[in-house]
Amino acid sequence: MSGQELRRKLGGGQWESTSFDTAVDLRALDDSYRAAARILSPALATAYVQHLAPGDEEDDLLEAQITVSALSLVPEIVATIEEEADGISRKWLTDTRVERKNLTDEQQAEYDRLEGMFLSPERILLTVPHKAQAETKERDTDGTERDLPTSTTHLLTSDNGTYPLNLNYWEQRVLAAEEKRPGFVGWYRNPDRAVKESLAIAYEDNHSWKALRPDFLFFTETANGVVVDIVDPHGTHLSDALPKLKGLAQFAENYGGEFRRIESVAEPDGKLRVLDMGKAAVREAIRQAVDAKSLYASDLAYDYQ
């Protein structure tokens, strides 16, 4: 880069000019380009560099990398690119909604990954689980291992009809209570990772979208057929406790009619308490709340049993 520096004393005086030439600091450029690739995605950054420098000339490549690095520093450009990509991907997924059902699981997973990159939450189909992995043993502090207790009412079981119970104390109490309810048919331990078989509920935390994955889905036989309940044992001490509750409340507002119950359970003061998201007053209180613990201690919550 060639430049000229102009100087003069504060308040007046003659301008003094100095010309200079400086070379690119390749290490600094490399760091800047890597940062740009993280913002724009490595694939997009590489593709645009190749577009700007198709001949692979060294000077052209450097100039292209400088351009990409500079573009990533302009928030309006990044936002526009993300919005355009979001619109294109939504159109692709709409156009291929039926046809991609014929693809293999591996091929469909690529489309699922694309759906997970939307700028805002999008309703997608939940895949019926056919198989799962689960720990069958637990290790004590002295290193000895022992078999986990098992359940015969989980939706997925091993060949002997059992499913290992790797549950904490809260979760054990919730499962025991739900199994005693009239008409109980079975339950599903919702995976806590981003897979097609996991029910994910969007919530906003610090201006970014994240996914809440409720612990349990319970299935009950009623006069109108099998109904589904969402029950999520929920801590109140973490910073995301209230954002998760707000996400669950909004989910109940939008899709509550598709479930019999949507509930969040916590133990704020030594006793399990439950918030019923089916109640409009509970949802409104959650929207106005400043902390999660006070909600479970209020008259809006019930003792869970």
Side-chain angles (χ1 to χ4, degrees), residues 15 20 52 100 145 185-186 189 239:
W15 285 102
F20 64 89
L52 294 175
R100 54 192 162 97
E145 291 186 345
V185 175
R189 179 60 185 266
S239 61

Side-chain angles (χ1 to χ4, degrees), residues 34-54:
R34 289 177 183 272
R38 289 192 294 270
I39 295 171
L40 299 172
S41 85
L44 180 58
T46 299
Y48 196 53
V49 166
Q50 292 174 346
H51 169 74
L52 294 175

